Amino acid sequence: MAGQKIKNMDELAKVSSISRPTLSKYFNDPESVRKTTRQKIETALEKYDYRPNIFAINQNRKLTKTIGILVPYLADPFFAEIARRIELSCIEAGFWPTVFSAHGEQELENNALATMQSLRPAGALIAPLGRRSDFEAVRRFAEDVPTVVFDSNVNVGEAFVGHDNFQSTELIVDYLCRTGEPPCFFEMPPLNPNANKRREAYVMAMENLGQTPEIVQVDGASWEFEQIGLEGGKRLIEQRALPSNTVLCSNDRLAIGLIAAAYQKGLRVGHGPECAMRIAGHDDHPWSRYTCPPLTTVSQDYSSIADRSVEILFDLINGGNKYQSRVETLFKGNLVLRSSA
């Protein structure tokens, strides 16, 4: 078969004089075969440029090496960054991550869950849509597949790993009150549990400081947060409807839109007597340092959330047993001071 492209494992076994069971053993775990055999296989792989069909291998195994990763909106750099970190950790551990996006839609989230389940994954890391999720579909999936939930704390799966919204919101509210006019809270109709928690945390923090909470909600029901912040912000500025010149946004993407709205309406954003508004956000979104002015915010610990999610999932996979009770891990945020507030 010299000079011919190897099409399957049977042909590779023939040209390499290595049994098919040994090749299967190698592809499942290279360290499980002797070093001399492993070298012989790798020489044949390089010579014949053969790549195994990992999907087919997985389907023939009781436990696959596939890890499903589901995020609500992959176009959001926040979720892209978390997924990237999780994906690299899975690859480093010898697993095959497959990333899905719900694109903000319940039907697409359900389709992604069904597709993941058909792959018979060893486990899954999912950030559900939240309010738009079909909770029963998510619950059924998590009952069949070892699942760790991250970012959006929907009560399914063996564990949740995410951000301490109450700690971080209190941190930035305290800073804004100490350094200027107390903030109003700028939000859209909440799409996931994080948004509700941040509003509740804002109210608690303001009341604890003896201040009156002021919540301003703009219309919007999509994941186009920047556009919602821009259009809603322009209307509020035109109507002089913002109850404070300091605005804490529910997330950085809304804040990015509001900064653009202020610019378009001729208002200077920043911390100083020449500035008309202070604007702050939440998350330390990858773009927040590049706005004009750069956005003051409170960070999420991307690395710790991704690493701990993967660590718990591998513990579930390797242990084979469910925890006695659902485990929840929250990481604190840090204040990130920039020019906008």
Side-chain angles (χ1 to χ4, degrees), residues 294-312:
L295 181 64
T296 290
T297 185
V298 61
S299 67
Q300 290 206 44
D301 191 340
Y302 291 71
S303 295
S304 294
I305 291 171
D307 292 347
R308 183 60 179 150
S309 298
V310 172
E311 180 183 343
I312 293 174

Side-chain angles (χ1 to χ4, degrees), residues 39-56:
Q39 290 174 341
K40 189 175 181 181
I41 294 171
E42 290 169 355
T43 298
L45 290 174
E46 183 175 353
K47 179 178 180 180
Y48 294 102
D49 192 26
Y50 174 70
R51 297 293 181 271
N53 185 334
I54 298 300
F55 177 80

Side-chain angles (χ1 to χ4, degrees), residues 5 18 63 74 76 91 95 98 100 103 147-148 170 226 235 241-242 260 267 298 313 316 328:
K5 175 73 174 176
I18 299 170
L63 176 64
L74 194 55
D76 185 330
I91 292 171
F95 286 83
T98 304
F100 297 86
H103 300 285
T147 299
V148 173
E170 181 181 21
E226 294 87 358
R235 285 193 296 271
L242 285 169
L267 299 181
V298 61
L313 183 63
L316 289 168
E328 293 192 5

